[in-house]
Amino acid sequence: MAILQIRKYPDRVLSTKASEVEDIGGEIVDLANSMLETMYKAPGIGLAAPQVGRSIRLIVFDIGHTEGEPEPHIVVNPVITASEGEDIQEEGCLSLPGIYASVKRAYAVELKGYDLEGREITMQAEGLLARVIQHEVDHLDGKLFVDRMSKVRRNLLLKRYFRNLEK
Ligand code: ZN
């Protein structure tokens, strides 16, 4: 395991649609574990492979460790198969440090994908967990949270982001 470098906007890999993982070998297992380690250290609650420079469909997340017991999730080729309701909450992103904004997302989602043994998994999530899942799956489609708002708000936030970077 290793701490990986987190790519920051406007790195091209962040706006690229990631490819499916074809087979889950040792390299993917190592990458997933390093991603978890990198996420915990950041600290963050989710990380997608493009954020560490790998354009493949792999995400990790854990919302438990901020309040108690770690509950790591690793999902290969994740797909949101159902969503319900609406929820507006503030979000941030390790690839866009220093800026936060409210984003409208589904309140609950169903996620399907594979674990590191290649077994199919299905999970239902709501609230913060559902939000993290939607945020990370967006990364695999080359989408950042600022792409989920009006152009005006997006531009204002990005202006603030670049101003922060100069400091
Ligand atoms: Zn993010």
Side-chain angles (χ1 to χ4, degrees), residues 80-87 105-110 125-127 130 134:
I80 292 171
T81 46
S83 56
E84 214 181 278
E86 238 176 59
D87 189 31
R105 296 199 185 266
Y107 177 71
V109 296
E110 179 184 77
E126 55 177 40
Q134 292 170 82

PDB file of all heavy atoms in Angstrom, residues 80-87 105-110 125-127 130 134:
ATOM      1  N   ILE A  80     -25.101   3.029 -10.656  1.00  0.00           N
ATOM      2  CA  ILE A  80     -26.278   3.393  -9.870  1.00  0.00           C
ATOM      3  C   ILE A  80     -27.499   2.903 -10.640  1.00  0.00           C
ATOM      4  O   ILE A  80     -27.755   3.327 -11.761  1.00  0.00           O
ATOM      5  CB  ILE A  80     -26.315   4.911  -9.620  1.00  0.00           C
ATOM      6  CG1 ILE A  80     -25.162   5.297  -8.682  1.00  0.00           C
ATOM      7  CG2 ILE A  80     -27.662   5.341  -9.025  1.00  0.00           C
ATOM      8  CD1 ILE A  80     -24.936   6.781  -8.518  1.00  0.00           C
ATOM      9  N   THR A  81     -28.202   1.942 -10.036  1.00  0.00           N
ATOM     10  CA  THR A  81     -29.288   1.279 -10.762  1.00  0.00           C
ATOM     11  C   THR A  81     -30.659   1.840 -10.400  1.00  0.00           C
ATOM     12  O   THR A  81     -31.637   1.551 -11.068  1.00  0.00           O
ATOM     13  CB  THR A  81     -29.254  -0.237 -10.478  1.00  0.00           C
ATOM     14  OG1 THR A  81     -29.077  -0.432  -9.073  1.00  0.00           O
ATOM     15  CG2 THR A  81     -28.106  -0.894 -11.220  1.00  0.00           C
ATOM     16  N   ALA A  82     -30.754   2.613  -9.331  1.00  0.00           N
ATOM     17  CA  ALA A  82     -32.025   3.242  -8.983  1.00  0.00           C
ATOM     18  C   ALA A  82     -31.723   4.431  -8.092  1.00  0.00           C
ATOM     19  O   ALA A  82     -30.733   4.445  -7.365  1.00  0.00           O
ATOM     20  CB  ALA A  82     -32.923   2.252  -8.238  1.00  0.00           C
ATOM     21  N   SER A  83     -32.565   5.446  -8.181  1.00  0.00           N
ATOM     22  CA  SER A  83     -32.403   6.573  -7.270  1.00  0.00           C
ATOM     23  C   SER A  83     -33.762   7.139  -6.927  1.00  0.00           C
ATOM     24  O   SER A  83     -34.726   6.972  -7.676  1.00  0.00           O
ATOM     25  CB  SER A  83     -31.491   7.648  -7.872  1.00  0.00           C
ATOM     26  OG  SER A  83     -31.984   8.071  -9.106  1.00  0.00           O
ATOM     27  N   GLU A  84     -33.832   7.783  -5.754  1.00  0.00           N
ATOM     28  CA  GLU A  84     -35.113   8.245  -5.249  1.00  0.00           C
ATOM     29  C   GLU A  84     -34.940   9.511  -4.429  1.00  0.00           C
ATOM     30  O   GLU A  84     -33.952   9.674  -3.717  1.00  0.00           O
ATOM     31  CB  GLU A  84     -35.676   7.153  -4.344  1.00  0.00           C
ATOM     32  CG  GLU A  84     -37.188   7.048  -4.410  1.00  0.00           C
ATOM     33  CD  GLU A  84     -37.670   5.956  -3.470  1.00  0.00           C
ATOM     34  OE1 GLU A  84     -37.623   4.778  -3.875  1.00  0.00           O
ATOM     35  OE2 GLU A  84     -38.067   6.289  -2.345  1.00  0.00           O
ATOM     36  N   GLY A  85     -35.905  10.390  -4.542  1.00  0.00           N
ATOM     37  CA  GLY A  85     -35.942  11.581  -3.700  1.00  0.00           C
ATOM     38  C   GLY A  85     -34.934  12.628  -4.122  1.00  0.00           C
ATOM     39  O   GLY A  85     -34.237  12.489  -5.130  1.00  0.00           O
ATOM     40  N   GLU A  86     -34.874  13.676  -3.320  1.00  0.00           N
ATOM     41  CA  GLU A  86     -34.003  14.793  -3.616  1.00  0.00           C
ATOM     42  C   GLU A  86     -33.429  15.323  -2.328  1.00  0.00           C
ATOM     43  O   GLU A  86     -34.086  15.277  -1.287  1.00  0.00           O
ATOM     44  CB  GLU A  86     -34.835  15.916  -4.241  1.00  0.00           C
ATOM     45  CG  GLU A  86     -34.362  16.331  -5.604  1.00  0.00           C
ATOM     46  CD  GLU A  86     -35.294  17.375  -6.191  1.00  0.00           C
ATOM     47  OE1 GLU A  86     -35.453  18.447  -5.569  1.00  0.00           O
ATOM     48  OE2 GLU A  86     -35.855  17.087  -7.255  1.00  0.00           O
ATOM     49  N   ASP A  87     -32.212  15.819  -2.385  1.00  0.00           N
ATOM     50  CA  ASP A  87     -31.556  16.281  -1.175  1.00  0.00           C
ATOM     51  C   ASP A  87     -30.521  17.327  -1.583  1.00  0.00           C
ATOM     52  O   ASP A  87     -29.804  17.128  -2.560  1.00  0.00           O
ATOM     53  CB  ASP A  87     -30.876  15.065  -0.521  1.00  0.00           C
ATOM     54  CG  ASP A  87     -30.351  15.370   0.863  1.00  0.00           C
ATOM     55  OD1 ASP A  87     -30.953  16.225   1.554  1.00  0.00           O
ATOM     56  OD2 ASP A  87     -29.339  14.764   1.259  1.00  0.00           O
ATOM     57  N   ARG A 105     -28.812  16.346  -5.168  1.00  0.00           N
ATOM     58  CA  ARG A 105     -28.643  14.951  -5.606  1.00  0.00           C
ATOM     59  C   ARG A 105     -29.838  14.137  -5.146  1.00  0.00           C
ATOM     60  O   ARG A 105     -30.654  14.622  -4.368  1.00  0.00           O
ATOM     61  CB  ARG A 105     -27.376  14.355  -4.995  1.00  0.00           C
ATOM     62  CG  ARG A 105     -26.093  15.039  -5.446  1.00  0.00           C
ATOM     63  CD  ARG A 105     -24.909  14.146  -5.187  1.00  0.00           C
ATOM     64  NE  ARG A 105     -23.641  14.793  -5.502  1.00  0.00           N
ATOM     65  CZ  ARG A 105     -23.007  14.693  -6.662  1.00  0.00           C
ATOM     66  NH1 ARG A 105     -23.524  13.988  -7.656  1.00  0.00           N
ATOM     67  NH2 ARG A 105     -21.848  15.296  -6.859  1.00  0.00           N
ATOM     68  N   ALA A 106     -29.884  12.873  -5.610  1.00  0.00           N
ATOM     69  CA  ALA A 106     -30.932  11.971  -5.128  1.00  0.00           C
ATOM     70  C   ALA A 106     -30.692  11.713  -3.640  1.00  0.00           C
ATOM     71  O   ALA A 106     -29.549  11.707  -3.182  1.00  0.00           O
ATOM     72  CB  ALA A 106     -30.891  10.671  -5.905  1.00  0.00           C
ATOM     73  N   TYR A 107     -31.771  11.470  -2.883  1.00  0.00           N
ATOM     74  CA  TYR A 107     -31.625  11.197  -1.456  1.00  0.00           C
ATOM     75  C   TYR A 107     -31.172   9.760  -1.205  1.00  0.00           C
ATOM     76  O   TYR A 107     -30.405   9.487  -0.279  1.00  0.00           O
ATOM     77  CB  TYR A 107     -32.942  11.458  -0.710  1.00  0.00           C
ATOM     78  CG  TYR A 107     -32.807  11.106   0.752  1.00  0.00           C
ATOM     79  CD1 TYR A 107     -32.033  11.901   1.597  1.00  0.00           C
ATOM     80  CD2 TYR A 107     -33.389   9.948   1.270  1.00  0.00           C
ATOM     81  CE1 TYR A 107     -31.845  11.562   2.924  1.00  0.00           C
ATOM     82  CE2 TYR A 107     -33.202   9.595   2.599  1.00  0.00           C
ATOM     83  CZ  TYR A 107     -32.434  10.399   3.424  1.00  0.00           C
ATOM     84  OH  TYR A 107     -32.236  10.056   4.734  1.00  0.00           O
ATOM     85  N   ALA A 108     -31.656   8.846  -2.056  1.00  0.00           N
ATOM     86  CA  ALA A 108     -31.310   7.431  -1.878  1.00  0.00           C
ATOM     87  C   ALA A 108     -30.938   6.811  -3.223  1.00  0.00           C
ATOM     88  O   ALA A 108     -31.470   7.212  -4.257  1.00  0.00           O
ATOM     89  CB  ALA A 108     -32.488   6.680  -1.259  1.00  0.00           C
ATOM     90  N   VAL A 109     -30.019   5.879  -3.184  1.00  0.00           N
ATOM     91  CA  VAL A 109     -29.631   5.187  -4.418  1.00  0.00           C
ATOM     92  C   VAL A 109     -29.423   3.697  -4.162  1.00  0.00           C
ATOM     93  O   VAL A 109     -29.198   3.268  -3.030  1.00  0.00           O
ATOM     94  CB  VAL A 109     -28.312   5.734  -5.037  1.00  0.00           C
ATOM     95  CG1 VAL A 109     -28.452   7.174  -5.480  1.00  0.00           C
ATOM     96  CG2 VAL A 109     -27.132   5.569  -4.087  1.00  0.00           C
ATOM     97  N   GLU A 110     -29.509   2.955  -5.251  1.00  0.00           N
ATOM     98  CA  GLU A 110     -29.099   1.551  -5.220  1.00  0.00           C
ATOM     99  C   GLU A 110     -27.856   1.461  -6.096  1.00  0.00           C
ATOM    100  O   GLU A 110     -27.832   2.007  -7.207  1.00  0.00           O
ATOM    101  CB  GLU A 110     -30.198   0.655  -5.787  1.00  0.00           C
ATOM    102  CG  GLU A 110     -29.788  -0.818  -5.800  1.00  0.00           C
ATOM    103  CD  GLU A 110     -30.850  -1.690  -6.451  1.00  0.00           C
ATOM    104  OE1 GLU A 110     -30.918  -1.688  -7.695  1.00  0.00           O
ATOM    105  OE2 GLU A 110     -31.596  -2.355  -5.711  1.00  0.00           O
ATOM    106  N   ALA A 125     -28.336   2.795  -0.263  1.00  0.00           N
ATOM    107  CA  ALA A 125     -27.772   3.834   0.592  1.00  0.00           C
ATOM    108  C   ALA A 125     -28.670   5.053   0.581  1.00  0.00           C
ATOM    109  O   ALA A 125     -29.393   5.292  -0.384  1.00  0.00           O
ATOM    110  CB  ALA A 125     -26.384   4.212   0.085  1.00  0.00           C
ATOM    111  N   GLU A 126     -28.615   5.802   1.676  1.00  0.00           N
ATOM    112  CA  GLU A 126     -29.374   7.055   1.711  1.00  0.00           C
ATOM    113  C   GLU A 126     -28.555   8.115   2.420  1.00  0.00           C
ATOM    114  O   GLU A 126     -27.523   7.815   3.037  1.00  0.00           O
ATOM    115  CB  GLU A 126     -30.726   6.855   2.396  1.00  0.00           C
ATOM    116  CG  GLU A 126     -30.613   6.270   3.795  1.00  0.00           C
ATOM    117  CD  GLU A 126     -31.974   6.160   4.476  1.00  0.00           C
ATOM    118  OE1 GLU A 126     -32.952   5.790   3.813  1.00  0.00           O
ATOM    119  OE2 GLU A 126     -32.025   6.444   5.683  1.00  0.00           O
ATOM    120  N   GLY A 127     -29.010   9.359   2.307  1.00  0.00           N
ATOM    121  CA  GLY A 127     -28.334  10.458   2.986  1.00  0.00           C
ATOM    122  C   GLY A 127     -26.899  10.626   2.517  1.00  0.00           C
ATOM    123  O   GLY A 127     -26.607  10.547   1.326  1.00  0.00           O
ATOM    124  N   ALA A 130     -25.367   7.914   0.259  1.00  0.00           N
ATOM    125  CA  ALA A 130     -25.879   7.992  -1.121  1.00  0.00           C
ATOM    126  C   ALA A 130     -25.211   9.145  -1.866  1.00  0.00           C
ATOM    127  O   ALA A 130     -24.887   9.043  -3.052  1.00  0.00           O
ATOM    128  CB  ALA A 130     -27.397   8.178  -1.105  1.00  0.00           C
ATOM    129  N   GLN A 134     -22.863   8.925  -5.282  1.00  0.00           N
ATOM    130  CA  GLN A 134     -23.178   9.678  -6.510  1.00  0.00           C
ATOM    131  C   GLN A 134     -21.989  10.556  -6.916  1.00  0.00           C
ATOM    132  O   GLN A 134     -21.657  10.665  -8.100  1.00  0.00           O
ATOM    133  CB  GLN A 134     -24.424  10.538  -6.296  1.00  0.00           C
ATOM    134  CG  GLN A 134     -25.693   9.702  -6.126  1.00  0.00           C
ATOM    135  CD  GLN A 134     -26.875  10.559  -5.676  1.00  0.00           C
ATOM    136  OE1 GLN A 134     -27.524  11.197  -6.500  1.00  0.00           O
ATOM    137  NE2 GLN A 134     -27.149  10.583  -4.385  1.00  0.00           N
TER     138      GLN A 134
END
